[in-house]
Amino acid sequence: METDEQNRIRFQVELEFVQCLANPNYIHFLAQRGYLKEQPFINYLKYLQYWRDPEYARYLKYPMCLHFLELLQHEAFRRECVSAQVCKFMDDQAILLWQHYTRRRTRTLQPPDAPVPPAAGAPPHPPARQQS
């Protein structure tokens, strides 16, 4: 039986690992090293599904990790993660999702009469050229 201290440490280690799964480059790293083919590791990923429970999910800072954890339950997805192209695609899609979510959340939280902020990342207009 584990002590309270051992339970706390295991919780922290598993929390950190699950959140690493929000990074497609880390998943690609695991796939390249062959971890996603090893049955003990696949069993560990299955065990980590308990993080989907709201009691545990509330501790996650990067909830997208749950989506990738779910995808990692499928052999076809694990096989495709070796490809750098697939990794790049997942990374691009994650960034697009975060950008859209951030903009949408900002608009949702603004009072209705607040001015609309300029689009994130939009370059400022250059000053007009003077003709000589």
Side-chain angles (χ1 to χ4, degrees):
M1 186 147 147
E2 293 182 335
T3 66
D4 286 345
E5 179 65 15
Q6 289 170 324
N7 279 330
R8 187 182 63 76
I9 291 170
R10 185 168 56 90
F11 176 84
Q12 289 174 340
V13 168
E14 290 175 0
L15 172 63
E16 184 175 336
F17 177 76
V18 166
Q19 292 194 109
C20 285
L21 297 178
N23 182 344
N25 293 301
Y26 183 64
I27 295 172
H28 180 62
F29 168 85
L30 293 172
Q32 285 182 316
R33 304 296 180 287
Y35 290 105
L36 301 183
K37 293 178 182 176
E38 296 176 4
Q39 194 58 48
F41 191 78
I42 294 167
N43 293 343
Y44 183 62
L45 292 172
K46 194 172 291 190
Y47 157 76
L48 291 173
Q49 289 282 74
Y50 76 86
W51 284 98
R52 301 180 71 75
D53 185 329
E55 179 184 355
Y56 295 98
R58 67 188 180 118
Y59 293 100
L60 296 171
K61 186 173 182 180
Y62 307 105
M64 183 175 281
C65 65
L66 294 177
H67 179 65
F68 285 121
L69 180 61
E70 176 60 34
L71 290 173
L72 285 165
Q73 304 302 312
H74 305 282
E75 183 183 354
F77 179 77
R78 290 192 305 268
R79 237 188 350 258
E80 293 298 322
C81 288
V82 175
S83 165
Q85 255 185 317
V86 170
C87 174
K88 173 85 170 101
F89 178 77
M90 290 188 312
D91 200 33
D92 290 345
Q93 294 303 304
I95 289 170
L96 289 171
L97 177 70
W98 290 329
Q99 287 174 340
H100 176 72
Y101 173 80
T102 303
R103 272 191 242 120
R104 189 169 180 184
R105 183 162 171 92
T106 301
R107 275 188 254 139
T108 302
L109 296 176
Q110 281 183 340
D113 57 348
V116 177
H125 293 289
R129 283 189 168 188
Q130 294 180 353
Q131 294 191 8
S132 0

